[in-house]
């Protein structure tokens, strides 16, 4: 047995003579030699090769493209050895964060079977609902079971909703510390991811629902990193639905897996939208929604947009459009961790954003006054009957029309009507 772990740090060979450890700096020499052949002969069985974090040396250097390419070429040479060792190999398994193309990293290997999106393997990398309710049942006392699901469940790698899994790291720390927190997100700041999204001028509400072809999910290389692939492969987006509109044409709908990721990633993305977040921002928003206090909410939101630096507008043409104001608005609410639905669909159309919080529903519609006359935002919510599908829930429903001026860079109309 060869075990290559943590970005190729060590190899362990298991044969009749027991374990033999090989230091990392000897690994290449051993693989290019006849180590696998010796293990085969000694054990009388062909070798199993397990490689964990096969991509780590590259990912650790993505911000240094030249060094990352050097790492890629070195790993390509290393993995190509496995092809020549085929007579001595019984089974090879490679796991990692990203999915580099076979051409760029595995050109020396043939017939690799990618099981990332295969339904039979969808639940091998996380805890299922059954695991939580059986294995961890004694630890659940005093914790809100539905909140555990909202915070940490939702990762899917197949077409079956029942195969969604929980982040094990989050679950174990929750059960130990007994409080909800973004444990996984806090293990590392996604600096590279945020930089890529900033460079691409991300429209943050779109991250709640992205549709991509299957090929795009695997398009990840140093010189060609698709944003959707990066978000999916690093765990910030997951599969929500799979369709085959044409034979062989697979369409995947991506979205946030859970509340932890949605709130934490939007918190990290706010600076890319020109928002310098402070803790009191969230506190003021929370207080305004709890009552609700419309004057406080309007004042708070105007202060939020007034705080955007002048240079940000000068360097970002997206600031002229409704999408920019919606991005700031959505990410500010999503970072708070309230229930947010973007482009909330009904039989009569889609309202820009719905917030379900504190036993009350808020329906928001946005307009830019340079593009449409004033008063159109609230008028559209009422005319389209966006609230109709919520009438049976028995919750107060607040219709909020917000209009922005791209020249004044500010909210110019804040109209509210409450249905009960």
């Amino acid at each position: 047995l060869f075990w290559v772990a943590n970005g190729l740090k060590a190899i362990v060979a298991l044969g009749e003579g027991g374990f033999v450890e090989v230091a990392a700096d000897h690994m290449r020499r051993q693989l290019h030699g006849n180590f696998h052949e010796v293990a085969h002969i000694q054990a009388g069985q062909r070798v199993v090769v397990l490689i964990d974090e096969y991509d780590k040396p590259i990912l650790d250097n993505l911000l240094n493209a030249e060094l990352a390419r050097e790492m890629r070429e070195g790993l390509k040479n290393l993995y190509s050895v496995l092809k020549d060792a085929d007579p001595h190999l019984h089974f090879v398994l490679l796991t990692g964060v990203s999915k580099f193309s076979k051409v760029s990293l595995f050109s020396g290997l043939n017939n690799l079977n990618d099981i990332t999106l295969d339904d039979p393997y969808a639940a091998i990398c996380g805890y299922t609902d059954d695991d939580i309710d059986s294995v961890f049942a004694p630890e659940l006392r005093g914790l809100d079971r539905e909140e555990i699901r909202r915070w940490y469940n939702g990762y899917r790698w197949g077409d079956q909703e029942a195969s969604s899994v929980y982040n094990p790291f989050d679950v174990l720390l929750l059960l130990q510390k007994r409080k909800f927190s973004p444990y996984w997100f806090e293990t590392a700041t996604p600096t590279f991811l945020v930089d890529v999204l900033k460079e691409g001028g991300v429209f943050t509400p779109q991250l709640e629902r992205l549709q991509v072809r299957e090929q795009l999910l695997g398009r990840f290389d140093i010189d060609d990193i698709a944003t959707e692939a990066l978000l999916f492969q690093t765990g910030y987006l997951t599969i929500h639905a799979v369709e085959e509109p044409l034979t062989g044409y697979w369409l995947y709908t991506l979205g946030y897996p859970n509340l932890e990721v949605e709130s934490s990633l939007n918190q990290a993305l706010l600076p890319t939208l020109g928002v310098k977040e402070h803790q009191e921002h969230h506190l003021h928003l929370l207080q305004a929604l709890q009552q609700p206090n419309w004057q406080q909410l309007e004042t708070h939101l105007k202060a939020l947009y007034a705080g955007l630096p002048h240079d940000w507008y000068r360097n970002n043409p997206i600031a002229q459009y409704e999408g920019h104001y919606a991005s700031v608005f959505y990410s500010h609410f999503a970072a708070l961790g309230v229930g947010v639905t973007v482009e909330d669909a009904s039989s009569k159309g889609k309202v820009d954003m719905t917030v379900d919080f504190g036993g009350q529903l808020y329906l928001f519609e946005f307009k830019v006054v340079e593009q449409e006359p004033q008063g159109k935002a609230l008028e559209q919510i009422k005319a389209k009957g966006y609230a109709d599908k919520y009438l049976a829930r028995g919750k107060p429903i607040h219709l909020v029309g917000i209009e922005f001026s791209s020249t004044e860079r500010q909210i110019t109309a804040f109209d509210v009507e409450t249905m009960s």
Side-chain angles (χ1 to χ4, degrees), residues 36 80-89:
H36 43 271
S80 67
V81 175
L82 295 172
K83 181 178 180 180
D84 296 331
D86 186 67
H88 307 287
L89 301 178

Side-chain angles (χ1 to χ4, degrees), residues 313-333:
Y313 285 97
R314 182 167 54 86
N315 297 326
N316 291 271
I318 193 176
Q320 303 171 23
Y321 304 107
E322 178 183 330
H324 158 63
Y325 300 100
S327 286
V328 172
F329 197 94
Y330 160 74
S331 290
H332 183 50
F333 276 74

